[in-house]
Amino acid sequence: MSGAWQRGRDAVANLASRGGASASTAGSGHVPYSSEVLRKAAQDPRFHGFPSMIDRTAMTHGSWVQRSASYGEWGLPGFVNGSKGMYEIGIDMARFDVPTITHRFFRPGAG
Amino acid sequence: MPYRAEIVTEPPNAIPTVEFLPSGGLGSVAMQVLVHVVGSDPWVGIFRGASDSHVTILESWSQGPMLLVVAEGFPHFVDTRQPGHSMDLPVFPVRHAIRHRSGVLVLADFTRICGVDGDGIRWVAPEVAQDWIEDLRLDGQMVRGSGSVVGTDDYAPFAIDIKDGRFRPEATDAQKPELPT
């Protein structure tokens, strides 16, 4: 992972852990969500529209996988309705004006 | 036909009931099914779901002992001869269910697709999406649709052979979605 990427990711996680001060009105209130994330959350509240406070926990305590030069994901084991799985929070550092969450999913059975 | 299944609202008295629960919870009753098994006593299945999707269906086949009830997204795949036992399916929550004329029922959740019939699980396809499958449909012997691509807002088309669950040979690499690692 490049130093710049690491600093960017750490900054996002730090922002989330502090409660954030972003003016974003979408998503967690700290790191904005992409329109696709919001669309899926509206159509599927249970597995894509879980509470935004989980973002903060995933960013500070979850595992991290960088999947490309500008995209990576946090993973946090958890449960939905008693079923085990993995919360996934994906962030894109390059495609938008600011780092943006482009993937939020509770993957049933994973983790 | 090895069995006959019908939805009932009031289970008949004196017929034993078997309750099927979703994993991880009690759930609510989504469907009650009276099953008449050839050469055996009838039984009533009480199938519970957990409101994980809007899909609630009953599927039966003229060949094979298996019966499928998808209860609010949770799949109960039951051997009608041994109603106390159900087979786990690799798709949850079920969001798409399409039956092919061959009898194969195609089931999909957010990332995976499998084919089942009265004899059991016919195939499980490779993951086709990061977290969302759209426009799932049958096209002759193929199952077609689009899957979300990792790290983008894009969707990649896929084509899966109904016979064995493999990607269609003529599908190019560019047509296959990038899979999560």
Side-chain angles (χ1 to χ4, degrees), chain B residues 71-143:
Chain B
E72 297 172 341
F74 191 89
H76 301 280
F77 199 36
V78 181
D79 186 335
T80 54
R81 302 164 304 185
Q82 300 176 290
H85 299 87
S86 58
M87 183 182 291
D88 289 338
L89 294 181
V91 290
F92 170 76
V94 175
R95 300 183 70 243
H96 309 269
I98 309 173
R99 187 153 176 159
H100 187 258
R101 61 177 180 268
S102 65
V104 173
L105 180 70
V106 178
L107 299 171
D109 57 17
F110 295 109
T111 64
R112 295 162 296 189
I113 301 175
C114 74
V116 303
D117 66 11
D119 290 315
I121 300 173
R122 298 296 300 267
W123 48 261
V124 180
E127 279 198 338
V128 296
Q130 184 189 29
D131 71 343
W132 201 267
I133 293 172
E134 283 197 339
D135 195 24
L136 194 72
R137 63 197 184 280
L138 296 174
D139 179 14
Q141 292 296 313
M142 307 303 295
V143 182

Side-chain angles (χ1 to χ4, degrees), chain A residues 13 16 19 23 27 30 32 37 42 44 55 59 63 71 73 78-81 84 92 95-96 99 103 105 109 111:
Chain A
H30 328 298
V37 163
D44 171 47
D55 299 0
M59 288 177 181
S63 59
Y71 177 80
E73 293 173 4
F79 292 84
V80 164
N81 270 9
K84 183 182 173 188
D92 191 301
R95 191 149 47 100
F96 303 92
H103 173 66
F105 181 44

Side-chain angles (χ1 to χ4, degrees), chain A residues 44-99:
Chain A
D44 171 47
R46 181 152 302 177
F47 296 96
H48 286 84
F50 46 82
S52 59
M53 62 185 299
I54 292 174
D55 299 0
R56 194 178 304 175
T57 306
M59 288 177 181
T60 51
H61 299 293
S63 59
W64 169 255
V65 176
Q66 185 168 345
R67 297 197 180 279
S68 72
S70 62
Y71 177 80
E73 293 173 4
W74 286 274
L76 182 72
F79 292 84
V80 164
N81 270 9
S83 296
K84 183 182 173 188
M86 180 75 76
Y87 289 100
E88 299 175 350
I89 309 295
I91 189 163
D92 191 301
M93 304 295 279
R95 191 149 47 100
F96 303 92
D97 293 339
V98 295

Side-chain angles (χ1 to χ4, degrees), chain A residues 36 39-40 46 73 107, chain B residues 50 130-131 134 155 181:
Chain A
E36 184 70 0
R39 183 183 74 86
K40 291 174 182 173
R46 181 152 302 177
E73 293 173 4
R107 189 176 296 275
Chain B
Q130 184 189 29
D131 71 343
E134 283 197 339
Y155 285 77
T181 54

